[in-house]
Amino acid sequence: MARNRKYQTTATRFAPALRAFLLCALIGGSGVGYVWQKSRIDGLSKQIKDREQKLGALEASNEKLRKQLATLRSPAQLDRRVKELNLGLAPVLPNKVWRLTEPVPDPPVELPASVQYASGAATATP
């Protein structure tokens, strides 16, 4: 004989509904997580693209400034600037230049084998 629903426990009546709710929550949570992760990846790719463009612009600017510095350091440009500012500078005459040789360091002094080091002081052994 079939039992009446009235005599079933509440856990038996709500178990299928609870399983369906948990399954829907799992699928919905996975979908929300997937969309959130994709939006983060899209945002990061935009940041990378923007920073690569900024890097390219900075490299181009750096190259332009490097060329400008080379131009400003050229002897012709320096002479023109000296004349423009009336500084009265002229190239140095060769007889006014003193050429100095770099001193050669002294060779290291070798101590005799009889010298011993103890507590930071050198003492000779007899």
Side-chain angles (χ1 to χ4, degrees), residues 16-122:
L18 183 62
R19 283 188 205 133
F21 175 75
L22 289 176
L23 183 63
C24 289
L26 179 69
I27 292 171
S30 297
V32 169
Y34 177 78
V35 171
W36 174 77
Q37 191 174 34
K38 286 300 230 178
S39 68
R40 291 279 299 181
I41 290 171
D42 184 48
L44 289 174
S45 67
K46 286 180 182 177
Q47 281 183 0
I48 289 171
K49 180 181 163 192
D50 292 342
R51 290 182 180 175
E52 284 176 349
Q53 288 176 349
K54 186 176 180 181
L55 177 64
L58 287 174
E59 286 175 345
S61 173
N62 196 14
E63 186 61 31
K64 182 181 126 189
L65 290 172
R66 190 175 290 124
K67 288 179 182 177
Q68 183 181 7
L69 179 63
T71 302
L72 290 174
R73 283 185 174 175
S74 69
Q77 180 70 16
L78 290 174
D79 287 340
R80 188 187 66 72
R81 191 76 174 139
V82 165
K83 288 176 185 174
E84 183 181 297
L85 296 175
N86 294 326
L87 296 177
L89 298 175
V92 179
L93 298 174
N95 62 352
K96 299 287 184 178
V97 176
W98 286 7
R99 304 242 183 245
L100 299 176
T101 58
E102 185 152 344
V104 179
D106 295 333
V109 178
E110 293 186 26
L111 295 175
S114 61
V115 176
Q116 293 182 353
Y117 294 98
S119 71

